[in-house]
Amino acid sequence: MSNTFKVRVNGQHELTVDPSEGSSLLEAMEAAGLETRYHCRDGFCGACRTQVKTGTIAYINEPLAIVRPGDCLACCCVPTSDLDIDH
Amino acid sequence: MSYSTFNKNQINPLQEPMFFGNSVNVARYDQQKHSVFEKLIEKQISFFWRPEEVDVSRDRVDFQNLTESEKHIFISNLKYQTLLDSVQGRSPNIALLPIVSIPELETWIETWSFFETIHSRSYTHILRNLFTDPSQVFEDIVINEEIQKRANDISKYYDDLIFYTQLWQTHGEGEIEVDGEVHNVTMRELKKKLFLCINSVNALEAIRFYVSFACTFAFAERDLMEGNSKIIRLIARDENLHLVSTQNILNLWQYGKDDPEMKEIAEELRDEALAIFMKAVEQEKEWAHYLFQHGSMIGLNEEILCQYVEYIANMRMEAIGFDAPFKQRNNPLPWMNKYLVSDNVQVAPQEAEITSYLVGQIDSSVSASDLGDFEL
Ligand code: FES
Ligand SMILES: [Fe+2]
Ligand SMILES: [Fe+2]
């Protein structure tokens, strides 16, 4: 059984993400051809910081970079609901 | 309040603030007030590398074939980076260890500074390969005006905090006259100096390296100076960790998760913190101008580098609670990212580009039960 979620990016792109496929939110945006921000891709630099306007995420790996309220780190998380994000 | 290398009082480090509480006595890491620093130590140690492991011998030939303006860019950047790591290899220790109050942060500071000394050693490794006698390059660092301007802004907040801490440790709070100048030493004043110092270090590691990094990787994009580029990749990876540590400190203060007085100070000095960051951005742009004064290099020019500084600055400033001040939201140098990825995955170890191959990363999650069946 797989659960897919709708992810709206920057108010204009709509992606369908299947977290069970094991790719991060960052990889899902890249697969859809969006320009992404990243450096380490390993949760410790904070470059992929993304604003979560609505919805919830879960971390695949616990990040070291600081996550301020309302933000997530796209390189190491997956959606756990439909999302509206600014990246 | 004088410093003791082993505080005899019974203290509970879980109740101490990060700084200006009781000095640390037992170095224990089984419990942590702020576990992020323990995780940073583990991550940083897993990144251990030695400059000598990176073969830079081919760079010598490449260097001789660079144009004069490219040589100027390459060497100036190395000088600037040597300055930055000279400061960073000692200052967190000297400024922060006397005032730190929790063991995991104390050890993080030492680990952090130690890695800066690896960076410094790697510049010697690079320069010794390029020049029979690199003295002239090193000596210019304390003469070169462009570098001096930056050195002053980088070291002054550290120096100020160190001086006031020394006064406080020898005289306690109060008015203290030194060389005819009266200094009003109060805990509030000390904490303000600490706050500005951490902001200045944060700005340093957030953006001050990135103009030089961009030049290094622009050479690598043309298959030039690749040994140097491998070393800079390792340095960039370490720098990201250092940056995250000061971002964590600043956020813990801002959100009132540590010393409540630091929360007040963070609000009170918000504009000054912003000004420190903006000045660093300006200086990086001026640095780009200085680098390209004799001509630019393929793939880079002053304008695009300045856009990159703005792009990075936006990202870094949002991480510590400022609004992004610049319009530059797209990455003007998309190829930079591939040099900044921390490739933990072993793809093909024989490929020298894979940083994890160069440094032998260790999986730190081995537990006692994994070793249960081993007998010697
Ligand atoms: S890319 Fe570094 S934290 Fe996500
Ligand atoms: Fe460094
Ligand atoms: Fe550093």
Side-chain angles (χ1 to χ4, degrees), chain B residues 152-323:
Chain B
N152 186 40
D153 276 290
I154 290 161
S155 56
K156 75 176 182 207
Y157 295 100
Y158 273 129
D159 294 352
D160 205 25
L161 173 62
I162 291 166
F163 182 59
Y164 265 67
T165 301
Q166 288 170 341
L167 292 180
W168 172 65
Q169 286 182 334
T170 45
H171 302 272
E173 293 184 60
E175 293 199 340
I176 300 150
E177 193 181 320
V178 182
D179 295 335
E181 206 182 318
V182 178
H183 302 274
N184 189 15
V185 179
T186 63
M187 188 39 72
R188 183 86 178 184
E189 203 50 41
L190 281 159
K191 287 182 179 178
K192 283 185 181 177
K193 293 188 187 300
L194 169 65
F195 179 75
L196 294 177
C197 179
I198 296 293
N199 274 280
S200 153
V201 184
N202 178 262
L204 187 167
E205 299 194 304
I207 50 170
R208 283 193 192 267
F209 284 100
Y210 280 81
V211 162
S212 339
F213 287 171
C215 295
T216 295
F217 299 142
F219 282 120
E221 282 288 284
R222 292 158 58 202
D223 300 328
L224 293 173
M225 312 304 287
E226 286 180 303
N228 175 72
S229 151
K230 278 170 207 157
I231 287 181
I232 300 299
R233 284 184 71 181
L234 293 164
I235 292 178
R237 186 177 64 167
D238 294 340
E239 289 310 330
N240 264 327
L241 279 188
H242 306 170
L243 171 65
V244 159
S245 76
T246 50
Q247 287 177 344
N248 269 288
I249 294 172
L250 293 173
N251 277 285
L252 286 168
W253 283 337
Q254 272 178 35
Y255 283 105
K257 291 188 182 153
D258 195 72
D259 180 351
E261 195 175 10
M262 289 308 290
K263 182 173 195 265
E264 288 172 26
I265 289 172
E267 283 158 21
E268 190 183 322
L269 299 185
R270 193 180 155 85
D271 290 346
E272 270 185 72
L274 179 66
I276 287 175
F277 218 107
M278 295 305 275
K279 177 138 193 225
V281 171
E282 267 329 296
Q283 285 191 335
E284 276 302 290
K285 291 181 178 173
E286 285 168 23
W287 183 248
H289 179 74
Y290 169 71
L291 290 178
F292 293 132
Q293 63 182 351
H294 306 302
S296 49
M297 56 187 283
I298 298 172
L300 270 190
N301 58 42
E302 185 183 334
E303 194 190 346
I304 204 160
L305 256 184
C306 290
Q307 289 167 354
Y308 189 70
V309 172
E310 294 188 350
Y311 166 77
I312 292 279
N314 276 342
M315 224 154 64
R316 306 312 201 193
M317 292 178 76
E318 283 177 326
I320 50 169
F322 291 116
D323 293 328

Side-chain angles (χ1 to χ4, degrees), chain B residues 81 84-85 88 112 115-117 119-120 123 205 209 235 238-239 242:
Chain B
Q81 287 177 295
L84 295 176
D85 279 295
Q88 284 299 89
W112 166 22
F115 272 77
E116 306 289 17
T117 67
H119 303 172
S120 296
Y123 304 134
E205 299 194 304
F209 284 100
I235 292 178
D238 294 340
E239 289 310 330
H242 306 170

